[in-house]
Amino acid sequence: GDNAVAMRFRSDDPLEVKTAISRYVYDFMAGDITNPAHDFPSYYGAPDICLGQEPKTAIRFVDFYDGAIDIVCADSIDARGDVNLNNIANEIGDAVVFTNYFIAGLAAFTVNDEGQIAATEINGDGIVLTVADLVYLIRVIIGDALPLPKLSPYATTANFMTNGSVVSVDQVIGAAYFVFNGSVDVTLADGAGNMEIKSAVRDGNTHVLVYSFEKGASFTGNVLNANGTIKSIEAADYYGSAYKVSLVPSAFGVKNFPNPFNPATTIELALPVASNWSVSVYNVAGQKVFETSGYNEAGTHQITWDASTQASGIYFYKVDAGQYSVTKKMVLLK
């Protein structure tokens, strides 16, 4: 039956079938959610009314655990001193796990090897799993030293800007890697100085690397001449520290694609500054058939309109964002 196992015990009547039902039920995030008093059906485990049902005998025998995949971001792990990964750094439990490592090796790390190893970089020298780290951890625990801040995965934010033909950046960059939608012609712009460029079309996208083998080479300002849409950017400074990349349009812009469309189209907003925005769609009779709004930081943002319930024809969409306002036409063809 539902969440039940039929079984026989050798020591009992071989003709008697017993049903093993839930003893405890655990949710991935909430822990124990067992509630035998809940009515049937229930995801809190088998209710008490399942006990003593003839001709089968039900006994609480099985524990159910709800599993899941937890996607962990860099800003929520690898905190200095949180060696046991319980979200509390620089405590006795962290020191116990760390001391066990020196005797038992990586077997002492039972939660996540890579995360726990990274958390042992406590004294800020860039080297993990050292006695020096353990000494500094103990000093922090007893109040003889202050904990060092967590390492940031990024040096700072690099804002890349594009007007559809020129790509520029507001930081000094040692190298950058761009991916453009489709096949795009790209060349170095004036601000790239003596950098080198490599590009090729792969998997339907244009991949571009701007770099240099010269000592001290870097660039800022205008970097690429490229008439295309950027999918992604990676960038680092001259010293090899990664930037957090933000792609900021240099001017307000609106477009929709595909156009004509059936049955859905994507309306893309290019916001040069953070803005409240609204999108309204009208038919040729002036009736509003769709409306949505929101707030976003500077960048490119997309809204999908599903026109499955609308008739074929011409529609107009109006976009208001801060001081900007524009109305454009699109065609639904069924």
Side-chain angles (χ1 to χ4, degrees):
D2 296 336
N3 289 339
V5 179
M7 61 184 182
R8 291 188 175 93
F9 288 92
R10 279 188 258 178
S11 59
D12 296 334
D13 181 352
L15 299 180
E16 181 185 21
V17 177
K18 295 185 177 182
T19 301
I21 61 175
S22 59
R23 180 173 58 179
Y24 297 106
V25 179
Y26 298 92
D27 182 70
F28 171 63
M29 297 298 293
D32 182 5
I33 61 170
T34 310
N35 182 8
H38 196 280
D39 292 335
F40 184 86
S42 163
Y43 55 78
Y44 299 105
D48 287 336
I49 59 175
C50 293
L51 296 172
Q53 297 288 322
E54 297 294 340
K56 298 179 181 179
T57 301
I59 59 173
R60 299 197 183 279
F61 193 75
V62 183
D63 297 343
F64 292 97
Y65 293 83
D66 183 16
I69 296 174
D70 189 9
I71 301 176
V72 182
C73 300
D75 58 357
S76 63
I77 60 172
D78 299 351
R80 296 183 191 270
D82 187 16
V83 184
N84 60 5
L85 297 186
N86 70 344
N87 296 318
I88 305 174
N90 305 309
E91 58 176 353
I92 290 293
D94 298 307
V96 170
V97 173
F98 202 0
T99 55
N100 288 342
Y101 158 76
F102 290 98
I103 306 303
L106 291 179
F109 298 152
T110 59
V111 181
N112 179 288
D113 288 358
E114 295 301 324
Q116 293 182 264
I117 291 170
T120 67
E121 207 293 89
I122 300 167
N123 64 356
D125 64 358
I127 306 173
V128 298
L129 300 174
T130 67
V131 171
D133 291 310
L134 176 61
V135 169
Y136 199 90
L137 173 60
I138 293 173
R139 290 185 61 199
V140 172
I141 291 173
I142 65 177
D144 188 46
L146 293 175
L148 299 179
K150 177 184 172 180
L151 286 172
S152 171
Y154 304 111
T156 187
T157 298
N159 294 306
F160 284 82
M161 292 145 282
T162 177
N163 60 8
S165 59
V166 177
V167 180
S168 60
V169 63
D170 65 352
Q171 297 287 347
V172 178
I173 307 296
Y177 170 57
F178 305 83
V179 178
F180 290 84
N181 283 325
S183 178
V184 177
D185 292 329
V186 293
T187 58
L188 288 175
D190 296 339
N194 56 355
M195 304 300 289
E196 299 182 37
I197 184 173
K198 285 186 176 181
S199 65
V201 177
R202 173 167 54 86
D203 300 327
N205 297 314
T206 301
H207 298 252
V208 182
L209 179 65
V210 178
Y211 69 104
S212 177
F213 282 115
E214 294 189 18
K215 183 177 180 180
S218 60
F219 62 89
T220 190
N222 294 341
V223 54
L224 286 180
N225 299 311
N227 187 15
T229 301
I230 298 175
K231 289 188 64 176
S232 64
I233 305 175
E234 293 180 32
D237 64 17
Y238 176 73
Y239 303 98
S241 297
Y243 281 104
K244 182 178 181 179
V245 172
S246 175
L247 181 59
V248 180
S250 60
F252 176 72
V254 174
K255 64 180 180 180
N256 79 290
F257 55 89
N259 189 19
F261 64 95
N262 179 29
T265 187
T266 297
I267 301 172
E268 184 175 276
L269 316 181
L271 303 178
V273 295
S275 304
N276 289 301
W277 55 264
S278 64
V279 176
S280 302
V281 179
Y282 301 86
N283 60 23
V284 291
Q287 298 169 317
K288 185 185 295 185
V289 296
F290 174 77
E291 184 177 32
T292 186
S293 61
Y295 172 86
N296 285 101
E297 297 295 332
T300 302
H301 310 283
Q302 296 180 343
I303 301 98
T304 298
W305 178 44
D306 186 345
S308 300
T309 61
Q310 303 298 322
S312 296
I314 296 174
Y315 291 83
F316 299 91
Y317 62 99
K318 181 182 179 184
V319 178
D320 294 300
Q323 61 178 319
Y324 306 103
S325 182
V326 65
T327 301
K328 291 194 172 184
K329 181 175 69 174
M330 55 186 172
V331 179
L332 171 60
L333 290 180
K334 292 187 176 181

